[in-house]
Amino acid sequence: MYRSHTCGELRYSDIGLKVLLSGWVQKSRDLGGMTFVDLRDRYGVTQLAFNVDDEKELTEKARKLGREFVIQIKGEVIERSSKNKNIPTGDIEIKVLSLKVLNSSITPPFTIEQNTDGGEDLRAKYRYLDLRRSCVQEKLRLRNRVSLETRKFLDSKEFLDVETPVLIKSTPEGARDFVVPSRMNEGEYYALPQSPQTFKQLLMVSGFDRYYQIVKCFRDEDLRADRQPEFTQIDCEMSFVEQEDVLNLFEELIKHLFRVVIGVELEEKFPRISYQEAMERFGSDKPDTRFAMEFVDMNEVTKNKGFAIFDNAEQVLAINAKGCSEYSRKEIDKLTDWVRRPQIGCKGLVYLKCNQDGTYKSSVDKFYSQKDLDCWAKLAEAKPGDLLLLISGELDKTRKQMNDLRLHMADKLGLRDPNVFNPLWVVDFPLFEWDEDEKRYHAKHHPFTSPKVEDIDLFDSAPSQIRANAYDLVMNGVELGGGSIRIHRRELQSKMFDLLGFTKDEAEEQFGFLMSAFEYGAPPHGGIAFGLDRLVATMDGVDSIRDYIAFPKNNSGRDVMIDAPSPLNIEQINELGIKS
Ligand code: ASP
């Protein structure tokens, strides 16, 4: 037997108990007469005490213990003289009677503590040591609670957990596929699923009615803090549902998770806005609604006063940075430099300071009278003390830039409180997106998404105006999940592929199996998928999903711990029949 208790378990009431503990040496302190060792496991830390006067040999042995040695001790729980209120075991310590080293450790490359001295790269290389830190373990515990509660909730609603294959054929979620060569079918390749989309729809055709899976998805795209090449979805599909049914049920799931896992009561009904409105008010289909600072359309009040930049712009937009009229020249210059960076790409930034005395100061005073500027302020509902920031240009680009500026200002002003959770359904997405470079339409969600019945007539005349039965759940500026009501008839699916530029043969070759299935009584169906990693990180008030994944990849898609990807040896290449 290795242990009678864990290192997080013993309390004042256990004083006098003889115990066996096993764990890692967090640190040891030699205070002359006494040696103290902090023993750590997943559950906590317990202090071990060695008294050189009572146990000379044992204390000598304890003094030789290095950090991260794995030891087993036998001892007695005694009251601690200087109690540590910061840890649950802080009232007691163990008077050690025997000590066994189960395994030694070479000196770890960084300290296994909350405030570690290890940089990100080093910790990634030794991720198994980083994972010993309780603050990192806590994140995976949170993830575990979220997935467990998800399963319980979906099970209570009759969802069946069904596994779908990983070696499949391309699924068009808009990213690049990871591919796997087939040894048995030389020259042919599997694709890893970007999502189980087609399979979950086939399960509806099979009559499973309610499906879910907590499943790995693979997308070969450029990585950022909130993206990983392999990530986990809570993937769901339901038959005989309309958009309203899906939104209501999954709103309930999200409220349940926040309530039982982190004790947060979300709004009873999540607000909903259309894609169109989200773009007009926030310039983003995943707006952060913890703060207002909404866009103001300034076209009416800025044009025809001789300022060519605004006159020639398709769109002039403003946001109101409340209480910022005292910004210095230097601060405004810094902001201007910020919007001019290539990542943002603005040509410049116009400001209007609404002075406390009711006068105005702008960077374009040459062109606009105080009366003109008063009109700006009125339109933007700016009060004395506020600062309007304006940018202009082509509509879509200006919206995107203003979205970046809005978030930047909110960060500066501390308006993005990690303890506030604002859910929002964004609905009525366009079905198609026009790709100017490729001169073709793409499916905004994916090609299996159904159009709104009332917009079907626009298929031939104005495809870009067709709205989809598609929805995203957004929280604090993050897309937590998205889904749609699907097409379940062959003709419409085939029309969709036509419009997306597939020839009949290509559509048949790639998705013939699905279109055939639709001919055998496919029920109306729809679903949604949530990014589990992102959901958990958002619940924890963190942007990066990396720490919520046990073994994540870095920004170049590498696992630096196992050193993957790596070259294949020539035998493997030959066996797979890959030609370079
Ligand atoms: N397969 C979709 C995605 O991964 C989700 C869905 O439509 O259910 O975004």
Side-chain angles (χ1 to χ4, degrees), residues 173 195 197 200 219 233 235 445-446 482-484 486 527-529:
E173 297 281 4
S195 86
Q197 185 60 38
K200 65 175 174 175
R219 295 183 191 178
Q233 280 190 347
D235 190 45
H445 188 51
H446 52 55
S484 61
R486 325 296 183 192
I528 193 164

Side-chain angles (χ1 to χ4, degrees), residues 5-19 21 41 43-47 76-80 83-94:
H5 296 81
T6 70
C7 297
E9 203 177 341
L10 296 165
R11 300 285 183 274
Y12 194 84
S13 55
D14 297 311
I15 285 171
L17 216 60
K18 293 274 193 313
V19 296
L21 298 182
D41 65 10
Y43 307 92
V45 171
T46 298
Q47 176 163 289
E76 185 185 335
V77 184
I78 60 170
E79 181 168 3
R80 196 157 150 175
K83 304 209 168 35
N84 180 352
K85 291 277 160 250
N86 299 324
I87 56 172
T89 60
D91 287 344
I92 58 103
E93 64 189 9
I94 312 293

Side-chain angles (χ1 to χ4, degrees), residues 28 35 57-67 69 101:
S28 96
T35 294
E57 227 170 88
L58 199 59
T59 309
E60 288 302 328
K61 205 168 159 188
R63 281 179 180 158
K64 294 207 188 84
L65 294 173
R67 279 195 286 142
F69 274 43
V101 174

Side-chain angles (χ1 to χ4, degrees), residues 411-424:
D411 280 332
K412 271 171 82 83
L413 299 173
L415 301 177
R416 306 181 81 185
D417 182 346
N419 298 310
V420 173
F421 299 98
N422 272 19
L424 174 76

Side-chain angles (χ1 to χ4, degrees), residues 336-474:
T336 310
D337 289 344
W338 191 87
V339 297
R340 277 190 174 144
R341 292 173 322 147
Q343 301 97 300
I344 311 292
C346 291
K347 294 234 168 52
L349 180 68
V350 169
Y351 70 84
L352 170 67
K353 288 180 175 177
C354 306
N355 297 326
Q356 295 291 359
D357 63 4
T359 61
Y360 297 104
K361 169 84 194 93
S362 84
S363 48
V364 284
D365 283 349
K366 247 202 314 197
F367 303 99
Y368 299 92
S369 66
Q370 288 285 308
K371 201 162 149 240
D372 295 332
L373 298 176
D374 190 51
C375 290
W376 291 21
K378 291 237 160 60
L379 186 63
E381 293 175 18
K383 303 267 167 323
D386 290 351
L387 171 73
L388 288 192
L389 298 171
L390 291 83
I391 56 180
S392 63
E394 184 258 313
L395 176 68
D396 292 344
K397 207 158 142 198
T398 307
R399 279 181 175 168
K400 201 172 161 305
Q401 292 165 336
M402 195 50 124
N403 168 50
D404 289 331
L405 179 60
R406 175 178 176 267
L407 296 176
H408 179 67
M409 288 308 294
D411 280 332
K412 271 171 82 83
L413 299 173
L415 301 177
R416 306 181 81 185
D417 182 346
N419 298 310
V420 173
F421 299 98
N422 272 19
L424 174 76
W425 286 111
V426 179
V427 298
D428 298 349
F429 277 82
L431 190 63
F432 298 110
E433 201 170 31
W434 178 251
D435 186 326
E436 193 46 47
D437 297 336
E438 293 182 32
K439 301 270 179 257
R440 52 164 284 211
Y441 287 108
H442 286 292
K444 178 92 183 152
H445 188 51
H446 52 55
F448 314 112
T449 296
S450 66
K452 296 224 174 276
V453 183
E454 58 273 31
D455 291 354
I456 284 192
D457 289 346
L458 299 169
F459 248 93
D460 299 316
S461 54
S464 51
Q465 284 172 30
I466 304 175
R467 288 163 310 153
N469 289 312
Y471 32 80
D472 275 359
L473 181 65
V474 171

